[in-house]
Amino acid sequence: MSTLTIGQVAERTGAATSALRYWEDLGLIDSVRTSGNQRRYERVTIRRVSFIRAAQRIGLSLDEIRAALATLPEGRTPTAGDWARLSRAWRSRLDDQIRRIERLRDQLDSCIGCGCLSLRTCALNNPSDVLADRGPGPVLLEP
């Protein structure tokens, strides 16, 4: 099986070469080195990189992605079932994110509990900045 250069992996996945090097430093992907010290990637890396990018899009941290990838089998290419198991584990997280986005969409033009106190009338009202005790940021958008 032929290997791919870092540029080929970047082109196929849309990931920057700097991201590929960083993810390799973190142990998320692997490469082998040529006698000239150039990186070469197995084709399975395309799937791993695509998985990393998809996981980032839904808000997973690199630590969470690393933990998920660590559950994949070593010594064989992950199957569709392996990938499905990982994605099922994130379903509740995605549902929670959808709820937060909907709440943001529905309340963005009124008070979101950020503590700015700049609105004269606030549908969610935060008199005297009482929400400051609940923490920083738009606390009324949090569950």
Side-chain angles (χ1 to χ4, degrees):
M1 178 183 288
S2 65
T3 57
L4 303 168
T5 66
I6 193 169
Q8 290 170 318
V9 173
E11 184 178 343
R12 289 289 309 275
T13 62
T17 57
S18 58
L20 296 172
R21 287 188 289 273
Y22 180 61
W23 294 339
E24 186 176 343
D25 288 345
L26 295 177
L28 299 175
I29 60 175
D30 295 311
S31 72
V32 295
R33 299 296 178 119
T34 67
S35 59
N37 204 31
Q38 295 178 334
R39 289 174 168 87
R40 293 293 185 263
Y41 298 91
E42 292 185 23
R43 296 189 72 76
V44 69
T45 304
I46 293 171
R47 185 177 292 245
R48 285 181 76 95
V49 169
S50 297
F51 174 81
I52 292 166
R53 295 194 69 211
Q56 285 183 312
R57 281 190 199 123
I58 64 167
L60 285 146
S61 70
L62 290 176
D63 285 337
E64 290 171 307
I65 294 168
R66 181 187 2 252
L69 290 172
T71 69
L72 293 175
E74 290 187 36
R76 72 165 171 84
T77 302
T79 64
D82 294 325
W83 295 115
R85 177 182 44 78
L86 287 178
S87 63
R88 274 193 310 273
W90 299 332
R91 187 168 196 76
S92 65
R93 181 190 180 119
L94 286 171
D95 290 341
D96 183 51
Q97 282 182 258
I98 289 167
R99 282 189 292 279
R100 286 180 179 186
I101 291 168
E102 287 173 341
R103 190 177 305 123
L104 175 63
R105 178 200 62 208
D106 295 344
Q107 297 173 356
L108 194 57
D109 61 346
S110 64
C111 179
I112 57 174
C114 65
C116 72
L117 305 177
S118 64
L119 295 176
R120 290 186 195 272
T121 59
C122 182
L124 302 174
N125 206 353
N126 184 19
S128 302
D129 199 19
V130 296
L131 295 174
D133 292 338
R134 287 183 49 189
V139 297
L140 295 179
L141 291 178
E142 298 299 320

